């Protein structure tokens, strides 16, 4: 039992990653929009778990807050507003699905061609593993939020400010786009 | 401890599912969700490489990407609502005004 729990703890990323993939596949494949939103929610929560298992605690929590708390609710509201359409969806998938699948397969082949050595090769000179001794620089698990905020407000202050302006523009734009004609 | 390859593979698969969704679905809402999924796959890579290189920049940028995703969703959903008011549909195949 102890051994089993330890094994789960070691493979936390793989478990969460597989569940995220399942949620994403459910999102793409399901017919009703509400089911898609639920699959999206599940995938986002599992990605937050992935972040946590990669020792980005602050980002994992922010992911849960932003996505599960904000974006999914926004999506559900719009589904509720929009999905009562009179004419039903004739087909879920588009006609050019064949071409799309061919394009994606080509992309996957290109990816595998580039990363074949990294993913399946026996031993590259410097193996791509997560190095624990470097992670000390992040002060992981004790002060992750502090480290992230130092990066954000000291090194990347300008992108942060630009992001705030973009959020303001998006806010105003969303209000203008969604308001009714007769105001 | 997760290996870098596992992270890269999961991120690639998530991104592929996002691309497949954008290409084959007809519902504009689902397409927006797939775009969000692709942004999250990129975020996963950012965090993995931050962990790999021991620098915090990747995590800071992942936070910025999250903010951009929120802005994008706000504008995109407003567009969907406006479109529904005008054309009474959210199926992208029915929106062919520019076709002439």
């Amino acid at each position: 039992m102890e051994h089993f729990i330890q094994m789960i703890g070691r493979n936390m990323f793989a478990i969460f990653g597989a569940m995220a993939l399942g949620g994403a596949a459910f999102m793409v494949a399901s017919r009703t929009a509400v089911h898609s939103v639920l699959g999206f929610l599940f995938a986002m929560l599992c990605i937050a778990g992935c972040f946590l298992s990669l020792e980005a605690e602050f980002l994992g929590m922010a992911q849960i807050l932003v996505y599960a708390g904000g974006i999914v609710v926004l999506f559900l509201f719009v589904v509720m507003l929009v999905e009562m359409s009179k004419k039903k969806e004739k087909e879920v998938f588009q006609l050019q699905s064949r071409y799309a699948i061919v394009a994606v397969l080509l992309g996957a082949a290109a990816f595998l061609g580039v990363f074949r050595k990294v993913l399946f090769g026996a031993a590259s000179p410097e193996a791509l593993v997560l190095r624990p001794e470097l992670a000390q620089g992040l002060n992981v698990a004790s002060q992750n939020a502090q480290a992230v905020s130092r990066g954000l407000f000291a090194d990347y202050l300008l992108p942060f400010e630009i992001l705030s302006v973009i959020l303001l523009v998006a806010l105003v734009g969303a209000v203008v786009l969604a308001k009714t004609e007769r105001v | 401890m997760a290996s870098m390859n596992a992270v890269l593979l999961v991120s690639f698969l998530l991104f592929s599912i996002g691309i497949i969704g954008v290409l084959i679905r007809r519902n504009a809402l689902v397409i927006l969700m797939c775009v969000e999924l692709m942004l999250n796959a990129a975020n996963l890579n950012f965090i993995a490489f931050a962990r790999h290189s021991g620098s915090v920049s990747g995590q800071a940028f992942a936070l910025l990407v999250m903010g951009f995703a929120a802005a994008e969703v706000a504008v995109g959903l407003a567009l969907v609502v406006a479109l529904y008011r005008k054309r009474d549909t959210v199926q992208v195949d029915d929106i062919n005004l520019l076709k002439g």
Side-chain angles (χ1 to χ4, degrees):
Chain A
M1 192 63 195
E2 190 106 340
H3 176 73
F4 184 65
I5 291 175
Q6 275 182 359
M7 200 182 68
I8 287 183
R10 254 181 281 125
N11 296 319
M12 203 57 106
F13 177 83
I15 293 169
F16 275 123
M19 289 203 302
L21 288 175
F26 181 72
M27 175 186 93
V28 172
S30 69
R31 282 182 169 267
T32 22
V34 177
H35 292 175
S36 285
V37 175
L38 289 181
F40 179 70
L41 171 64
F42 186 70
M44 289 303 122
L45 289 177
C46 292
I47 290 175
C50 288
F51 289 179
L52 289 180
S53 73
L54 287 174
E55 301 182 27
E57 287 88 6
F58 178 73
L59 275 169
M61 289 302 140
Q63 170 93 358
I64 292 178
L65 284 179
V66 170
Y67 280 95
I71 290 179
V72 166
V73 175
L74 208 58
F75 268 113
L76 277 178
F77 267 118
V78 175
V79 167
M80 191 184 69
L81 276 177
V82 152
E83 278 296 305
M84 298 169 289
S85 174
K86 277 134 274 179
K87 41 187 174 180
K88 293 303 289 179
E89 201 171 346
K90 284 154 291 188
E91 280 181 41
V92 180
F93 301 115
Q94 294 192 25
L95 284 179
Q96 64 264 29
S97 300
R98 276 172 308 182
Y99 307 113
I101 287 170
V102 168
V104 168
L105 284 181
L106 278 179
F111 176 88
L112 286 181
V114 172
F115 284 99
R116 181 169 43 88
K117 266 210 179 116
V118 179
L119 285 176
F120 305 114
S124 46
E126 189 196 1
L128 269 177
V129 292
L130 301 172
R131 287 178 285 178
E133 75 274 8
L134 278 175
Q136 297 306 316
L138 289 177
N139 278 333
V140 281
S142 57
Q143 292 157 339
N144 179 249
Q146 193 181 358
V148 171
S149 65
R150 194 171 293 134
L152 202 57
F153 293 113
D155 302 338
Y156 299 108
L157 188 59
L158 184 62
F160 183 74
E161 295 295 336
I162 291 174
L163 174 67
S164 69
V165 174
I166 283 179
L167 277 174
L168 180 65
V169 172
L171 186 76
V172 176
V175 170
V176 169
L177 280 173
K179 83 173 166 43
T180 47
E181 299 285 329
R182 48 178 206 300
V183 167
Chain B
M1 188 53 59
S3 75
M4 194 70 179
N5 296 349
V7 183
L8 282 179
L9 195 62
V10 167
S11 162
F12 163 65
L13 288 175
L14 277 177
F15 196 87
S16 310
I17 291 177
I19 285 186
I20 291 175
V22 167
L23 286 178
I24 74 175
R25 284 304 298 254
R26 303 166 79 241
N27 194 327
L29 286 166
V30 181
I31 290 177
L32 266 179
M33 280 188 268
C34 291
V35 172
E36 290 299 306
L37 195 69
M38 288 196 275
L39 284 170
N40 267 290
N43 262 355
L44 202 56
N45 262 357
F46 262 131
I47 288 173
F49 279 103
R51 183 82 179 70
H52 175 64
S53 67
S55 129
V56 83
S57 309
Q59 294 195 7
F61 261 96
L63 200 61
L64 292 179
V65 170
M66 232 179 253
F68 278 111
E72 177 239 322
V73 157
V75 174
L77 286 179
L79 276 176
V80 168
V81 169
L83 199 63
Y84 181 70
R85 284 228 183 85
K86 267 226 161 19
R87 306 271 301 170
D88 216 26
T89 180
V90 288
Q91 307 297 317
V92 288
D93 282 2
D94 298 337
I95 304 160
N96 47 12
L97 280 175
L98 272 183
K99 224 173 175 178

